[in-house]
Amino acid sequence: MSISEIKDQNWKAEFEALIPYLGHRNWTLVVDKAFPIMSPAGFITLNTHDTVPNVARYVLETVNRAEHLNPKIYSDKEFEYLTDSLKENVEKLRTEYKLISEKFPFNAIWHETIFPKIAEVAQQFKVVILKTETTIPYSSLFIELDCGYWSRKSEAELREIIKKG
């Protein structure tokens, strides 16, 4: 990975500068501290020096303001099984996630299923990784960007019209 793909400055300004260029099929990952540097050229990594919930709230509000984007959020299914007895502050983080998910629902999927999906996406499209200081396992959030002004239902209806001729 070249040094230009790793940023450690004002991550909010860097992220906001990317928003006009991001579209459906791009992803933004808000990851815990142990998340690795990814090797393909399709990744942009920004160090936030903040927590997953704080970064996620900022990212989701920023994406939500962009007319052309709609976020679909994935969380690790394993997180549902963590407790404070396994790792301190899990319940506090779970409470923060519940507040976020009231406005932006999460889809829980197993951790190992997300990596092939992200690697495939990065072959053609940029993936923004926002690294945080959170040190709770399975606390990362994975945000798939979709088109904000055209729904999957509308696309399906269009495809039916085309199919009928």
Side-chain angles (χ1 to χ4, degrees), residues 12-146:
K12 289 180 181 179
E14 296 267 353
F15 184 74
E16 286 183 25
L18 290 170
I19 288 291
Y21 301 100
L22 297 174
H24 72 99
R25 299 192 178 120
N26 288 123
W27 284 66
T28 298
L29 316 181
V30 182
V31 300
D32 65 63
K33 193 161 183 82
F35 194 88
I37 292 176
M38 304 297 281
S39 61
F43 294 96
I44 300 168
T45 302
L46 306 173
N47 192 359
T48 67
H49 302 284
D50 206 340
T51 65
V52 170
N54 288 341
V55 173
R57 274 190 288 273
Y58 183 83
V59 166
L60 291 168
E61 291 297 333
T62 302
V63 167
N64 200 44
R65 284 192 306 271
E67 177 187 24
H68 69 291
L69 298 173
N70 184 37
K72 183 175 182 182
I73 304 108
Y74 298 92
S75 61
D76 286 321
K77 184 103 176 129
E78 290 87 342
F79 185 76
E80 295 176 5
Y81 297 91
L82 287 178
T83 63
D84 278 348
S85 65
L86 291 170
K87 178 65 176 154
E88 188 178 357
N89 293 319
V90 167
E91 293 305 325
K92 179 182 176 194
L93 183 58
R94 184 173 280 110
T95 299
E96 291 188 64
Y97 281 2
K98 282 181 184 172
L99 293 173
I100 295 169
S101 68
E102 287 174 4
K103 188 169 184 181
F104 302 101
F106 296 2
N107 301 291
I109 60 174
W110 295 110
H111 185 73
E112 289 304 316
T113 63
I114 197 72
F115 284 102
K117 184 179 281 214
I118 292 167
E120 182 181 338
V121 167
Q123 296 298 315
Q124 293 184 321
F125 306 101
K126 288 291 186 187
V127 175
V128 179
I129 299 173
L130 299 172
K131 187 109 169 169
T132 73
E133 298 298 312
T134 299
T135 57
I136 295 176
Y138 304 108
S139 60
S140 298
L141 297 177
F142 310 93
I143 304 165
E144 179 181 15
L145 300 178
D146 205 353

Side-chain angles (χ1 to χ4, degrees), residues 150-165:
W150 186 248
S151 69
R152 291 178 189 211
K153 180 182 176 199
S154 296
E155 182 66 21
E157 289 175 10
L158 174 64
R159 294 296 158 191
E160 279 300 313
I161 291 168
I162 292 170
K163 191 175 172 181
K164 292 177 183 175

